[in-house]
Amino acid sequence: FLYLAAQFCCGFFVILILGNFWFLAVLYLLWLYLDWQTPCAGGRRSQWVRSWTVWKYFREYFPIHLIKTSDLNPNHNYLLGFHPHGVLVAGAFGNFCTGPSFKNLFPGLTPYLHIMPIWFGCPFFREYVMSAGMVSASKESVSYVLNKEGGGHASVIVIGGAEESLNAHPGSLTLNILKRKGFIKMALKHGAHLVPVFSFGENELFKQVANPKGSWLRNVQEKLQKIMGFALPLFHARGVFQYSFGLIPYRQPIHTVVGSPIPVKKNLNPTTEEIDDLHALYLQKLRQLFEEHKKNYGIPEHKSLIFE
């Protein structure tokens, strides 16, 4: 959906250039140049856009729910690790970019959903995603949020990234996280408390073409992901008037469970051992969060998370 929206915005920009409105395109390019760093400096959210009625219907379609397990003191800054990526990342968008749920459950906290920097190079589309509260996933951007004085800010990072979307099959519980420790280092450097977040139902929204590791399709997808910076999962779901095939996600409930915070002391120069220890603790708390809530959302008792 991001791809389609970005393509539409780029197409509109091309029309401006080729049509009689090329001067508007030139003015926008000037604006783009002057505004280039904004996605790394907290973005430019719009409460008007975030509260559009269409997002209410979007959340109710699945439906999407946000579940609180512990208070988050607004005097601190937080780094929320979101799992799994899925295809759509619907739970992250529905809970942290639209609607009042997060604000009502965690008063005093402002969430920032970090997405790949490539999206902010797309004309017009960048304005839309920033207005919804999304910012760049660059180190500079995460540091900007976590460095804010007085607390009350939360970076939301989809830890598995684009690579994990290739594992987004119904029933899949595989997370790409064992080698991902950059977010741990950022939390230590800024003293941001870590919070594991698991979104039950995220992988049930689409069916993806079989792409087991080692298959020719998976090899092609991984190579393209390294070249372009984002993955291309081949997925389908339902249509508008029929349920056998289409690109509209299935109506499957999504329950995004926010875990308890892991206190982190500020350490400007953490050692490899300190990073590894905190990473191990985070994995432990993430697995604990999943195990405590899986029975509530239809996960069989014998199934557990798989870390890769």
Side-chain angles (χ1 to χ4, degrees), residues 87 166 169 207-211 216-217 221 232-236:
V87 172
L166 300 178
H169 297 272
K207 292 179 180 178
Q208 191 172 168
V209 175
N211 60 342
W216 69 269
L217 176 57
Q221 289 175 319
L232 291 173
L234 298 179
F235 60 89
H236 66 88

Side-chain angles (χ1 to χ4, degrees), residues 2 9 67 80 90 111 127 170 224 306:
L2 280 177
C9 291
I67 292 87
L80 278 62
E127 318 304 334
L224 288 175
I306 299 173

Side-chain angles (χ1 to χ4, degrees), residues 51-52 69 87 121 151 156 251 266 276:
S51 59
W52 280 351
T69 64
V87 172
V156 183
R251 297 192 71 176
K266 189 172 184 178
D276 288 344

